[in-house]
Amino acid sequence: CGKTEVARRMAKLSDAPFLKVEATKFTEVGYHGRDVDQIVRDLMDVSMNLTKKRQMEKLRGEAKLLVEDRILDMLSGPEYSGTKGQRESFRSMLQEGLLENQELEVDVPENFGGAGGKDGDGAVLAFGGDSNSMNVQAMTDLMKKLGGVGGRGGRGGPPTERKKMPISEAREVILEIELEKLLEKVDLKKEAVTAAEETGIVFIDEIDKICSSRDFNSKSADASAEGVQRDLLPLVEGTTISTKYGNVNTDYMLFIGSGAFHAVKPSDMLPELQGRLPIRVELNGLTEDDLYKILTVPEANLVRQQIELIKTEGVELRFEDEALRQIAKTAAHLNRTVENIGARRLHTVMERIMEEISFQAAEMELESEVVVTKDLVKERLSDILTK
């Protein structure tokens, strides 16, 4: 019924760092696997990227002015050399787009746009460590500094290589370099930590899969499942986690737990964890009208996808409105009688209808039309409904 999408859109509206994790991916401390502290470290990575993106948008205007001056320096020499009139004539030609094919030699950082990234994450892999480990991060920073001292960039900067490219391409490259220089003046780490601590949202999905039913004294297949619940307690209550960006406090982070709870009940969770997640919201299952809206309202809906797919064979596919109503009705009926898997049921129903049409489309004449009617839908889905 769209639990994850609700939380994701809420985070997007508030421009907050948002992380979705699955509870089943974590293990109790002491077992082989990821412990729950990794949630906060991953959230910090999201917060850092979001903060960097926000700052880059702020500084883009300033950087564009610097790019123009850098290109003019390459064309006519530095501003203090040569005549002012010559520089201004180059500026007007540049703004009119007359010099787009003129080639320039640009000093580009060696790892620019490469797999290593601009933050030196590629170096972490060489050590075989975890990129969030404090020791590995310190070692990476040291290697970057040592690499920069003797590099071709000079003055302790990163090593660079000279590339020849037209102004049309050089403009974007220089813009990225100038943005990186401007970002060095901003304390991104401090801003990212503050954003994560005060507005961070963690969405823990499939939380019902780490619970075991108390009715039958049964145990979860995962030996450390209940231990994961215990490990989550301090995280939700509020604790300090050590990350590569510094210590992060979880006191004001919003934690949302979500699950279908088919086999277990929310009351099967540890009582302490229930107390730390005080607000409980139950979402209704998708109705026939909801499924019809999902089929028709989104721009890239399931129907549109099938129409475009068949169009590649030169065949026009059309769905009658009654057929779409019947698809939604069948999906809702199957959700009620078999198992409620929400909007995913539409994929199952649509594939059954399109199975033969997809194979036959390649044999059809160009520009022929296939119409999906209500009767066709009933015929194709009759075997599902009788099982």
Side-chain angles (χ1 to χ4, degrees), residues 95-340:
Q95 290 169 352
E96 288 170 19
L98 300 174
L99 301 174
E100 292 298 290
N101 295 324
Q102 178 73 32
E103 287 199 335
L104 293 176
E105 285 190 344
V106 185
D107 289 327
V108 183
E110 281 187 356
N111 65 345
F112 184 81
K118 292 171 196 148
D119 296 327
D121 289 344
V124 173
L125 301 175
F127 303 131
D130 174 14
S131 61
N132 282 298
S133 166
M134 296 289 284
N135 294 335
V136 171
Q137 184 63 22
M139 184 64 76
T140 306
D141 290 342
L142 178 63
M143 292 298 288
K144 281 165 70 180
K145 285 174 185 174
L146 290 173
V149 170
R152 281 171 281 172
R155 296 187 187 177
T160 59
E161 56 181 326
R162 184 156 288 193
K163 289 185 178 178
K164 190 176 276 191
M165 58 183 76
I167 287 177
S168 54
E169 290 178 22
R171 189 178 279 111
E172 281 302 313
V173 174
I174 296 169
L175 179 64
E176 289 296 320
I177 294 168
E178 291 299 327
L179 276 171
E180 286 295 320
K181 285 180 182 175
L182 291 171
L183 282 173
E184 286 173 8
K185 300 173 187 174
V186 182
D187 193 350
L188 287 176
K189 286 185 181 179
K190 186 180 178 183
E191 197 175 324
V193 169
T194 304
E197 286 182 341
E198 296 180 2
T199 62
I201 300 174
V202 177
F203 187 86
I204 307 171
D205 205 0
E206 311 289 1
I207 202 166
D208 57 318
K209 304 298 186 294
I210 57 169
C211 301
S212 51
S213 177
R214 299 177 192 277
D215 298 340
F216 305 104
N217 242 350
S218 62
K219 288 290 178 187
S220 167
D222 183 1
S224 72
E226 197 164 299
V228 174
Q229 291 187 62
R230 284 195 295 272
D231 290 346
L232 280 170
L233 295 177
L235 207 65
V236 179
E237 179 72 17
T239 187
T240 302
I241 303 293
S242 175
T243 73
K244 64 182 180 182
Y245 304 106
N247 291 334
V248 179
N249 196 295
T250 67
D251 283 353
Y252 303 111
M253 286 182 188
L254 174 63
F255 287 87
I256 305 170
S258 144
F261 289 98
H262 287 310
V264 294
K265 303 187 293 292
S267 57
D268 289 325
M269 288 197 299
L270 287 179
E272 297 90 343
L273 188 58
Q274 289 179 54
R276 284 164 171 77
L277 300 169
I279 301 170
R280 187 180 299 179
V281 179
E282 290 187 20
L283 300 180
N284 296 324
L286 294 169
T287 63
E288 185 181 323
D289 287 337
D290 293 330
L291 291 167
Y292 176 74
K293 284 179 185 174
I294 290 168
L295 278 174
T296 54
V297 174
E299 283 183 27
N301 57 57
L302 207 55
V303 175
R304 176 78 182 275
Q305 288 174 30
Q306 296 298 334
I307 290 170
E308 294 298 324
L309 193 64
I310 298 298
K311 194 183 280 185
T312 59
E313 302 287 355
V315 177
E316 194 72 32
L317 179 67
R318 187 164 59 83
F319 284 82
E320 289 184 351
D321 190 64
E322 283 187 349
L324 295 176
R325 290 279 179 192
Q326 185 61 36
I327 291 169
K329 184 179 178 181
T330 307
H333 175 71
L334 289 169
N335 275 344
R336 281 195 306 271
T337 55
V338 184
E339 187 180 358
N340 192 349

